[in-house]
Amino acid sequence: MKVIQSLLLAAVVALPALSFAQSNQPLTRADVRAQLVQLERAGYNPNSDQAQYPKNIEAAEARINARHALVAHEVGSKVIGLGPIYAKP
């Protein structure tokens, strides 16, 4: 009986490690294209002034991240029963 419990515990502990191993797959062309379209919708223009390259793409990424945070906040505040826990004072 102890052997079965030990094997079950080992399987439960190893499961998260195996699930993370699958997330390191390379991006496909479609993934990269979708990211570029998302950046362009956030205001990034790949054909713009190349002297401002890092600032331009970082600003677009910041807008995307802010939008995602806003959506996550709105969705989180609409969860029934969890509003007061996550409400800001």
Side-chain angles (χ1 to χ4, degrees), residues 8-9 19 26 53 55 57 61 68 71 73 82 84 87:
L8 256 159
L9 180 62
S19 65
Y53 162 69
K55 291 180 184 176
I57 198 164
E61 288 173 340
H68 286 225
V71 169
H73 176 69
L82 296 177

Side-chain angles (χ1 to χ4, degrees), residues 51-75:
Q52 299 295 321
Y53 162 69
K55 291 180 184 176
N56 291 345
I57 198 164
E58 288 170 354
E61 288 173 340
R63 285 189 289 272
I64 291 170
N65 290 337
R67 192 176 308 142
H68 286 225
L70 179 64
V71 169
H73 176 69
E74 288 176 357
V75 170

Side-chain angles (χ1 to χ4, degrees), residues 2-83:
K2 294 257 184 194
V3 174
I4 294 173
Q5 289 176 344
S6 299
L7 288 174
L8 256 159
L9 180 62
V12 169
V13 170
L15 189 61
L18 294 174
S19 65
F20 284 118
Q22 295 174 359
S23 65
N24 292 333
Q25 296 179 1
L27 294 175
T28 64
R29 285 185 99 123
D31 293 335
V32 173
R33 180 71 184 137
Q35 289 177 356
L36 181 59
V37 168
Q38 187 178 30
L39 285 168
E40 288 174 340
R41 287 182 180 164
Y44 175 66
N45 182 3
N47 297 323
S48 66
D49 182 17
Q50 294 300 316
Q52 299 295 321
Y53 162 69
K55 291 180 184 176
N56 291 345
I57 198 164
E58 288 170 354
E61 288 173 340
R63 285 189 289 272
I64 291 170
N65 290 337
R67 192 176 308 142
H68 286 225
L70 179 64
V71 169
H73 176 69
E74 288 176 357
V75 170
S77 65
K78 292 180 182 178
V79 174
I80 297 173
L82 296 177

